[in-house]
Amino acid sequence: MPEDESDLAYVLRHLPAELPVTVIGAGSNLIVRDGGVAGVVIRLGRALGEIRIEEGHRVVAGTAALDAHVARAAQKASIAGLAFFSGIPGSIGGALRMNGGAYGGETKDVLIEARGVDRQGNVRTFSNAEMGFSYRHSGVGDDVIFTSATFAGRAGDPDAIAGEMAEIKAKRETTQPRNRTGGSTFKNPPGHNAWKLIDEAGCRGLIVGGAQVSELHCNFLINTGDATATDIETLGETVRARVKAQSGIELEWEIKRIGASPA
């Protein structure tokens, strides 16, 4: 768990090049396979979670900062345009890596620039255009570990922004399961809703071991109590196979899966 950006750069610079490196943030959109993760795991913690407000309605956030905390800081500073972050249960690092979005907003809409450290320990800065954003994807290589982001908002009324965030919270609570879940499991294929394809394939409520397709929202897989990573991934692959057979559409995982399957 690096103390700061310089500490992270030092570690990456001195690690053997052949040693695998895996980085995690809040872990809210992640499956860690039951066989564990080889090499070095870097956890971005509180030291990289600072949020500060700058002139011009800008918000600078460390990549360990939770998306919801960034939204709240912007609201308190009367900065509009970042409220959608309150509906994403993850950290800014994940938002940069996956172009996180919800409720009409995406990271690409508000990002000015991102900073990160590459595998050689070099600190690099990426403009919005250089991020190569597309739907739930960034084109920056996986060898870069993001450390901070600068976002542009606009002048807003804090009460109105708070109201917008309250609406987002209410929508989440009524349409998404509150169980243990990794959030949206699959990306929406062009022109389709993943949940609808899953429902039409007869997968609502489907169970594998301790994992279940949510009855409330079919694009959420939930841990009913004792699910293994294998249970969850097997359930997801079963859903993908049934959707492909039903509609001919191949769902793409949105949840990131890391590590090895058990021997």
Side-chain angles (χ1 to χ4, degrees), residues 21 50 55 66 70 72 84 93 98 137 150 159 176 184 236:
V21 173
E50 179 186 1
E55 292 184 1
L66 295 179
V70 172
R72 180 60 64 190
F84 73 91
M98 298 184 65
H137 175 76
T150 302
D159 292 335
Q176 298 179 9
S184 294

Side-chain angles (χ1 to χ4, degrees), residues 16-246:
E18 68 275 9
L19 194 65
V21 173
T22 301
V23 61
I24 62 174
S28 56
N29 197 228
L30 186 68
I31 294 174
V32 181
R33 294 188 175 109
D34 302 306
V37 182
V40 174
V41 175
I42 296 176
R43 169 77 158 88
L44 301 182
R46 186 173 299 175
L48 288 169
E50 179 186 1
I51 303 169
R52 68 178 188 271
I53 306 300
E54 295 190 342
E55 292 184 1
H57 311 298
R58 294 188 174 193
V59 179
V60 180
T63 47
L66 295 179
D67 300 330
H69 291 177
V70 172
R72 180 60 64 190
Q75 180 268 329
K76 289 181 178 179
S78 302
I79 297 175
L82 305 182
F84 73 91
F85 276 128
S86 68
I88 306 175
S91 62
I92 291 300
L96 292 175
R97 181 56 63 187
M98 298 184 65
N99 185 25
Y103 302 101
E106 287 185 307
T107 302
K108 70 176 181 62
D109 301 330
V110 294
L111 182 76
I112 297 175
E113 65 178 24
R115 282 172 62 96
V117 183
D118 66 22
R119 189 63 173 81
Q120 289 72 46
N122 302 308
V123 177
R124 299 170 60 186
T125 302
F126 301 87
S127 68
N128 188 310
E130 290 169 334
M131 290 292 289
F133 283 132
S134 58
Y135 175 63
R136 300 299 175 264
H137 175 76
S138 165
V140 175
D142 289 339
D143 64 315
V144 173
I145 298 177
F146 293 117
T147 54
S148 69
T150 302
F151 299 107
R154 60 183 185 276
D157 176 73
D159 292 335
I161 300 167
E164 182 182 355
M165 291 166 61
E167 288 182 14
I168 289 173
K169 181 180 179 181
K171 288 178 181 178
R172 282 189 62 200
E173 291 180 347
T174 56
T175 61
Q176 298 179 9
R178 309 305 296 167
N179 317 66
R180 288 182 289 182
T181 174
S184 294
T185 306
F186 303 107
K187 300 177 183 180
N188 288 321
H192 297 274
N193 289 316
W195 75 264
K196 190 172 184 181
L197 294 169
I198 295 167
D199 197 19
E200 290 172 349
C203 295
R204 184 183 293 269
L206 185 66
I207 294 174
V208 171
Q212 181 179 17
V213 176
S214 171
E215 296 272 6
L216 180 62
H217 193 312
C218 294
N219 199 22
F220 283 67
L221 305 185
I222 60 176
N223 181 350
T224 61
D226 59 354
T228 63
T230 300
D231 289 342
I232 296 171
E233 191 166 11
T234 301
L235 177 59
E237 289 299 328
T238 301
V239 167
R240 292 181 71 238
R242 292 193 181 187
V243 168
K244 181 69 181 294
Q246 167 72 21

Side-chain angles (χ1 to χ4, degrees), residues 2-19:
E3 291 292 331
D4 53 29
E5 186 180 75
S6 297
D7 188 27
L8 174 62
Y10 178 89
V11 169
L12 292 174
R13 192 176 303 122
H14 289 85
L15 283 177
E18 68 275 9
L19 194 65

